[in-house]
Amino acid sequence: MSTQLPRSYLDTGFASPVDFGGGQVFQHYHYRMTRPNRLPMKPALTAMQHVQQLKRRGLLIDDDSYAEEALEIIGYYRFAHLMEPFRIAPRDPNNHNYIQGTPFRHGVDFYEIDCSLRNVLAEGILILEHLVFTKVGEMVSLSVSKGSATEQMIEWIENEVVRARYKYRYHPTVRHHARYESVPVWAMVNFWTYGDKFALFRQMEDADRRDVSRFFGVADLGNFHSLLLVFNHMRNACCHNAVIFPQQRQTRPPPTSLSTMEDETMRALLR
């Protein structure tokens, strides 16, 4: 049975709904993306044209050539994101003007801070990720070996092994364990995504999760859980080259300070 589609869909060169499974979801989504009341795309501008545009919007630019070179390196839209704090009305999508006389150099300075901060955060978070989930993998593996793991945990691990043997079939660790009946958890935490490892942590019994939390000097399990979510958000931002400074955190860190960690090595890593 044929489905009537909006004329705007038929005028495009995209594949038909059949190519995407024929679902109404795709048809509805594409209709929303091509509905007549959407604004037309803005034409692309050169770096120098952006320089003149920024001047009209209130930025102070003394050297057009320097500003042009900076925008070619940073990119106009990253630069605009970095300059959000200096907009007259940051929440107004129709007002792109800046506080009159704001130096262009502020955006360059923010870019340099952002790059440095991302490198520092990425290094620290990756170290913490390795330490935390190595401990999680060790505890889960021992509970499985001792027969103290819950049936739900065993079932979850078995499903993850099946998935890993397909998704990560070319990974050296998975290929090495092809002759064994399973891939051990302590090995999988070395190539799983952060989301996979966090899901493993959530599968643990509360008492075991508290042991992990206390091992790293955080007495409250809820705070430790929040920290892992913050690490996840910031890790993704760093790894995908998102703007770190300035930005609003989507996940707030817990009130407990990380400086309360008892392990001197962990405190040193976080400085």
Side-chain angles (χ1 to χ4, degrees):
M1 184 176 69
S2 61
T3 303
Q4 290 292 327
L5 298 175
R7 186 65 191 171
S8 57
Y9 175 84
L10 299 175
D11 286 341
T12 67
F14 292 108
S16 69
V18 175
D19 295 329
F20 287 83
Q24 293 291 330
V25 172
F26 174 75
Q27 296 170 10
H28 176 68
Y29 169 77
H30 194 84
Y31 172 68
R32 286 178 60 83
M33 293 299 292
T34 57
R35 63 191 183 199
N37 61 341
R38 285 191 177 273
L39 297 174
M41 288 286 291
K42 295 180 181 179
L45 301 179
T46 65
M48 182 53 73
Q49 287 173 323
H50 278 304
V51 169
Q52 302 308 316
Q53 183 183 65
L54 291 171
K55 280 185 173 181
R56 292 192 296 271
R57 291 178 175 177
L59 288 192
L60 176 62
I61 301 176
D62 297 323
D63 187 338
D64 287 7
S65 297
Y66 168 80
E68 179 185 24
E69 183 180 359
L71 289 181
E72 287 176 345
I73 294 172
I74 300 172
Y76 171 76
Y77 287 99
R78 180 172 291 264
F79 180 87
H81 191 166
L82 292 165
M83 292 293 287
E84 282 284 322
F86 300 103
R87 283 178 53 186
I88 293 175
R91 296 187 179 183
D92 184 354
N94 298 314
N95 187 346
H96 301 285
N97 293 327
Y98 297 96
I99 299 170
Q100 193 66 34
T102 300
F104 176 89
R105 178 69 201 185
H106 283 357
V108 179
D109 291 339
F110 274 15
Y111 172 73
E112 293 173 351
I113 293 171
D114 180 60
C115 289
S116 299
L117 182 60
R118 187 184 305 108
N119 291 336
V120 171
L121 282 173
E123 180 181 5
I125 289 172
L126 290 175
I127 291 173
L128 284 169
E129 176 186 354
H130 174 73
L131 293 173
V132 170
F133 291 112
T134 295
K135 183 64 177 177
V136 170
E138 173 193 330
M139 292 184 64
V140 172
S141 297
L142 288 173
S143 67
V144 171
S145 297
K146 294 175 181 177
S148 58
T150 64
E151 291 184 7
Q152 180 180 352
M153 171 70 82
I154 296 296
E155 182 180 358
W156 185 88
I157 292 173
E158 289 175 348
N159 290 334
E160 288 303 307
V161 168
V162 171
R163 188 172 70 93
R165 280 188 159 157
Y166 173 74
K167 183 178 180 180
Y168 304 104
R169 58 190 178 277
Y170 299 117
H171 194 281
T173 302
V174 175
R175 296 180 71 174
H176 171 75
H177 286 89
R179 54 183 175 161
Y180 296 98
E181 62 182 4
S182 185
V183 183
V185 171
W186 56 262
M188 289 194 291
V189 294
N190 288 288
F191 58 79
W192 267 348
T193 65
Y194 192 100
D196 292 334
K197 290 180 280 194
F198 186 66
L200 173 66
F201 176 74
R202 297 187 64 180
Q203 287 292 323
M204 298 173 72
E205 294 290 304
D206 284 350
D208 293 335
R209 288 193 290 161
R210 286 193 182 93
D211 286 343
V212 175
S213 177
R214 289 167 182 159
F215 179 82
F216 290 101
V218 182
D220 186 84
L221 178 58
N223 284 349
F224 189 70
H225 187 276
S226 296
L227 284 172
L228 293 182
L229 290 176
V230 172
F231 291 158
N232 186 25
H233 172 65
M234 297 308 298
R235 176 191 187 278
N236 288 342
C238 291
C239 293
H240 293 283
N241 200 34
V243 171
I244 303 296
F245 176 85
Q247 75 160 352
Q248 294 292 323
R249 287 190 299 267
Q250 296 178 3
T251 306
R252 292 183 178 274
T256 300
S257 171
L258 280 174
S259 62
T260 61
M261 285 188 169
E262 297 175 357
D263 192 300
E264 292 292 338
T265 304
M266 291 300 293
R267 284 210 299 270
L269 287 171
L270 291 171
R271 288 196 183 102

